[in-house]
């Protein structure tokens, strides 16, 4: 049921977005560029709107967003329940799963951080 609701929501957003891009291309370009400022992706001079902007609201875009949102359904964690066995990437680029790092009955501690 959740996948069907996500399908309907994403499809509706893509249809509305594509329609707005056709009817109001300049306004949509400004809106998409404004969204790009939040993620700072338009700070890269080699990453021009003309290369990626028109891909918004395409069929490939729809499939990609659906794939990501459906995958996130599998990664939901609930209090008191076992953690999802999500894939992680090691420093060597190897894809493993959280359970691969468990040792006997010892708790597994995940520490997230970033450096900029």
């Amino acid at each position: 049921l959740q996948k069907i609701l996500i399908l309907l929501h994403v499809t509706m957003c893509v249809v509305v977005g594509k329609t707005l891009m056709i009817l109001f291309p300049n306004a949509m370009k400004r809106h998409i560029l404004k969204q790009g400022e939040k993620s700072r992706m338009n700070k890269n001079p080699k990453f021009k709107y003309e290369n990626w902007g028109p891909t918004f609201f395409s069929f490939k875009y729809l499939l990609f967003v659906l794939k990501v949102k459906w995958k996130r359904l599998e990664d939901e964690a609930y209090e008191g329940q076992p953690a999802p066995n999500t894939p992680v990437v090691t420093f060597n680029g190897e894809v493993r799963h959280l359970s691969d790092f468990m040792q006997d009955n010892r708790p597994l501690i995940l520490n997230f951080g970033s450096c900029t």
Side-chain angles (χ1 to χ4, degrees):
L1 181 64
Q2 286 179 317
K3 283 188 175 184
I4 292 171
L5 292 174
I6 290 171
L7 172 66
L8 293 173
H9 179 258
V10 172
T11 302
M12 181 61 95
C13 289
V14 168
V15 168
V16 169
K18 189 66 163 179
T19 303
L20 291 174
M21 282 185 83
I22 292 168
L23 296 176
F24 310 104
N26 293 330
M28 284 302 288
K29 179 179 179 179
R30 285 192 307 272
H31 174 71
I32 291 170
L33 287 172
K34 194 172 196 175
Q35 296 300 317
E37 288 174 10
K38 291 180 183 177
S39 64
R40 301 179 60 185
M41 68 183 180
N42 55 352
K43 298 289 182 194
N44 184 345
K46 296 180 182 177
F47 202 57
K48 298 192 182 304
Y49 174 83
E50 290 73 21
N51 297 333
W52 55 267
T55 64
F56 272 66
F57 310 115
S58 65
F59 185 69
K60 283 186 178 182
Y61 174 87
L62 170 73
L63 294 178
F64 176 77
V65 173
L66 285 175
K67 179 181 170 185
V68 169
K69 288 188 174 278
W70 286 347
K71 184 66 181 158
R72 286 185 182 163
L73 284 176
E74 299 170 10
D75 294 339
E76 289 184 11
Y78 300 99
E79 187 176 339
Q81 300 296 316
N85 192 21
T86 18
V88 292
V89 180
T90 66
F91 287 118
N92 301 330
E94 180 184 358
V95 177
R96 310 242 333 249
H97 286 82
L98 287 180
S99 63
D100 297 338
F101 299 97
M102 297 290 295
Q103 295 177 1
D104 301 321
N105 276 346
R106 296 178 62 194
L108 177 65
I109 297 172
L110 303 175
N111 186 7
F112 298 94
S114 66
C115 297
T116 54

